[in-house]
Amino acid sequence: MEKLSMVTSLLCAITVAVLAVAVVGGEAAVVEHTFVVHEMNATHLCNTTKIYVVNGQFPGPTVDVTEGDTVVVHVINKLPFGLTIHWHGVRQMRSCWADGAGFVTECPIPPGNEHTYRFNVTGQVGTLWWHAHVTCLRATINGAFIVRPRDGKYPFPTPAKDVPIIIGEWWELDLIELDRRMMDGNFDDNPLSATINGKLGDLSNCSRMVEESFILDVKHGESYLLRVINTALFSEYYFRVAGHTFTVVGADGNYLTPFKTDMVTVAPGEAIDVIMVADAPPAHYHMIALANQPPEPDPQIPVFTSRGLVRYAGATANNNGLPVPMPIMPNQHNTMPSYYFHANLTGLAHPERHRVPMHVDERLFVTLGLGSICRGQNTTCKRRRSPETIVVATMNNVSFAHPKTTALLERYYDGTSKGVYTEDFPIRPPRPFNYTNRDLIPPGPLEEALEPTFKATKLKRFKYNTSVEIIFQSTTLMQSDSNPMHLHGYDVFLLAQGLGNFNAKRDVRKFNYHNPQLRNTVQVPRGGWAAIRFVTDNPGMWYLHCHFEFHIIMGMATAFIVEDGPTPETSLPPPPPEFKRCGNNGLSQP
Ligand code: C2O
């Protein structure tokens, strides 16, 4: 951000003061940060807006650790409302209390208060990220979370440099107001632009004031590890650099079998690690991040892009007077490149890490879609996007009612869940239908019979060490978006993905038990399904939700309770001393 005040530049200095004892290949260190969350003015497209940031930065500071380190982050909340910070993808083995999921693992840190998150990072290497986890605040309160290998060795040639590529959105609308509108079933609001590392890019301008682009400086012949993270509230993105190709080497903090491609697809919540070799003739090349979306009759959003630049050392400022090559992007309505990209990835076969459970103790079949409830106290109302309804999002036709004054983990731990949640999350949809029939999108008319739903806080409880298989089925109920499903506290094996309705007889043959991807965010294809498996080895309360912000706010969420195992080593310890219980300061809602 260009307009840093004195105060915020001072705050930046604080982040740099990481009290890490860096020991390469040596003992685990403690990496300590102070995050001051505050309001700041930012000017884009001729307007100055108030935004919410950490330490004066958008995106926020990078947390950079070595596998095995302990992370300590002091969050000081200077906003006029509460917030939490979630460490997206960090497994939090036996440290569920530090997960930072608002109203799930903790109540928001009230204005003027502070909270310390303390957790270990073990068994993960690559890219994760962190973000605010209440309302829509994660649009500007986010940053990269890098985990480096302890022995300093990658399963690929060590890159010259690594660079987070954070794809996000620029919102002029206040994020708290946006949240209020989405809760009311209104998703007509849109960001003004896509961003790459906070830059709108030079395709955006207003009154001939061109927006700044993200610039990646490279040297010919060197290789770069790009950590591509999607922090956007709304869209999946295609990312391409003219004249260059990528080798995908990791995702969500786990290595992948190297996969060559000329385009990366990244859904909200995903982090994709790619190697880009600067092997083109030294010059300037454009990079583009382009949001995709389903074609009509799905509700349409504007085209979002951000254009950046790859600049070779030695190339002249005007690129020798030559035009800068532009990457050729797919049509924004073509979602097939996303399907192929995701389906082509496999885990880097590792005997320790790829022991897929071959038996299944519990099976869930979960449909993902929209629905509607009647406004006011009415029990009947006109459907099909009528103003008499509030559009909500569902899993197995339940729209999650997010608690607003208490945290689920606390209630579970204290045994005081009565009146807060029930444990009857349905393990299959109430009635089967042709999930991917395009006639379920308004104007319909088939959706009318299927869209009525209800709000409830229904969770699913698992015994420790249960092997769970979930088939996620994206539906076309009222819209046909994909669904990037994110499970806290776990990396799950992604066994297979497919288009259309999941058919057990035909589709289990596609399951990859040998080297599936390990992911914390699984992109369930548009009009398709994804099959995952995991073992409940991490006790606690774990949020499961779609990472599209309007889906989560509208209720495409639930939480998994994982019971304690038989020993202290397999049980959730009591809350740490610094943990603050809900309602301690009379403030619980942002
Ligand atoms: Cu990025 Cu609930 O997560």
Side-chain angles (χ1 to χ4, degrees), residues 86 88 131 133 486 488 543 545 547:
H86 167 57
H88 177 113
H131 60 81
H133 212 323
H486 172 55
H488 290 211
Y543 215 172
H545 61 84
H547 223 283

Side-chain angles (χ1 to χ4, degrees), residues 147-166:
V147 189
R148 299 181 190 277
R150 177 137 300 272
D151 61 5
K153 290 194 199 102
Y154 296 100
F156 44 84
T158 304
K161 209 174 149 196
D162 64 287
V163 189
I165 301 281
I166 299 182

Side-chain angles (χ1 to χ4, degrees), residues 197-259:
N197 289 341
K199 312 281 189 207
L200 284 69
D202 61 355
L203 293 176
S204 294
N205 66 79
C206 119
S207 312
R208 280 179 283 136
M209 290 257 298
V210 174
E211 286 287 335
E212 218 182 301
S213 289
F214 168 68
I215 298 176
L216 175 62
D217 281 309
V218 300
K219 280 205 190 88
H220 183 82
E222 299 211 307
S223 74
Y224 297 84
L225 172 52
L226 309 184
R227 303 173 182 271
V228 187
I229 304 169
N230 183 339
T231 64
L233 301 185
F234 271 25
S235 311
E236 182 181 61
Y237 277 83
Y238 293 140
F239 177 74
R240 216 173 218 178
V241 177
H244 292 76
T245 58
F246 306 118
T247 305
V248 184
V249 292
D252 295 3
N254 288 286
Y255 291 127
L256 295 175
T257 312
F259 172 72

Side-chain angles (χ1 to χ4, degrees), residues 19-33:
L19 308 174
V21 193
V23 194
V24 175
E27 272 162 52
V30 176
V31 177
E32 196 162 354
H33 282 264

